[in-house]
Amino acid sequence: LSAATWSLAGAANSGVAAYFAGGSTASATVTTVDKFAFSDDSRTTLGTGLPTATRGLAGAANSGTAAYFAGGTSASLSTVNKFAFSDDSRTTLGTGLSTPVYYLAGAANSGTAAYFAGGYGAGALTTVDKFAFSDDSRSTLGTGLSAATKQLAGAANSGTAAYFAGGEAAARVDTVDKFAFSDDSRTTLSTGLSSARDSAAGAADSGTAAYFAGGSTGSYVDTVDKFAFADDSRTTLSTGISSALGYAAGAANSGVL
């Protein structure tokens, strides 16, 4: 990254580039959006970043079209900013989240809708807001998370389901909630994360598996849990991330979506 940053958000234009937005450095919360080209992993920093310095936000993307960064600790906690992949220009949606919130999670059904789940507003939330990519309109799912949860992580099997993992409810949890894109119904996986933790990062190889990395169990961990989309089974990678950490962000090059 262009600076050491925590509590940022990630989203990807699959096949092209990953985007990491906002967060806090050692001295300040930032508006920065760094872009990593998948062709050679080179980094550029967008000329137009977030409109306000924000941390604790969430990202999701309509691959081929735009990235969406929602919520966070800034002047307008319900804000959703949209970055067009064609020219990296930024617009702010006329309709934001249903409530101001930070420490939420995002995932997307590419071509259809973005989902932003949980987080902390006037308390931890069960809310899942859905933004239709066709017109950026927002609806709120009738069934939210299985428990009010903040500092969770999201990833999606595009075309099939979104997964929201871990976080803090009354205490840290290992829960993984799955939302089927066909009808937005929720199930909770019988096998959760390998440990109860918050502040992990999520990313997915659409069609194959979701990965949830790092986070805090009370101390930071380097664990990477992998959930196979074929049967939602969990394995834990023998090689974790390069250092134990939390409050990171994830994004993936999943090929053509």
Side-chain angles (χ1 to χ4, degrees):
L1 296 169
S2 54
T5 311
W6 64 280
S7 202
L8 68 169
N13 184 9
S14 197
V16 181
Y19 293 70
F20 295 102
S24 287
T25 67
S27 59
T29 299
V30 298
T31 62
T32 308
V33 181
D34 284 340
K35 176 181 178 179
F36 288 82
F38 290 139
S39 59
D40 60 1
D41 291 332
S42 60
R43 186 198 75 229
T44 54
T45 301
L46 302 195
T48 300
L50 298 170
T52 55
T54 310
R55 65 177 174 86
L57 67 170
N62 183 9
S63 198
T65 303
Y68 294 71
F69 294 106
T73 56
S74 67
S76 300
L77 302 179
S78 62
T79 305
V80 181
N81 290 304
K82 178 180 177 179
F83 288 83
F85 291 140
S86 58
D87 60 1
D88 292 332
S89 61
R90 186 198 73 229
T91 55
T92 300
L93 301 196
T95 301
L97 298 167
S98 56
T99 188
V101 62
Y102 61 99
Y103 292 146
L104 68 166
N109 183 9
S110 197
T112 303
Y115 294 71
F116 294 104
Y120 190 86
L125 302 174
T126 62
T127 308
V128 181
D129 284 340
K130 177 181 177 178
F131 287 83
F133 291 140
S134 58
D135 61 1
D136 291 333
S137 61
R138 186 200 73 227
S139 55
T140 301
L141 301 196
T143 300
L145 297 170
S146 56
T149 311
K150 63 180 180 178
Q151 293 168 245
L152 66 170
N157 184 9
S158 196
T160 303
Y163 295 71
F164 294 105
E168 184 179 342
R172 292 182 179 91
V173 297
D174 63 3
T175 308
V176 181
D177 284 341
K178 176 181 177 179
F179 288 82
F181 292 140
S182 58
D183 60 1
D184 291 332
S185 60
R186 185 200 73 228
T187 54
T188 301
L189 302 195
S190 57
T191 300
L193 296 171
S194 57
S195 61
R197 62 187 188 268
D198 62 26
S199 309
D205 181 8
S206 198
T208 304
Y211 296 74
F212 295 104
S216 175
T217 61
S219 57
Y220 292 132
V221 298
D222 63 2
T223 309
V224 181
D225 285 339
K226 176 181 178 179
F227 288 82
F229 292 139
D231 60 1
D232 291 333
S233 60
R234 186 201 73 227
T235 54
T236 300
L237 302 195
S238 56
T239 301
I241 51 178
S242 56
S243 62
L245 55 81
Y247 296 101
N253 182 7
S254 191
V256 178
L257 295 178

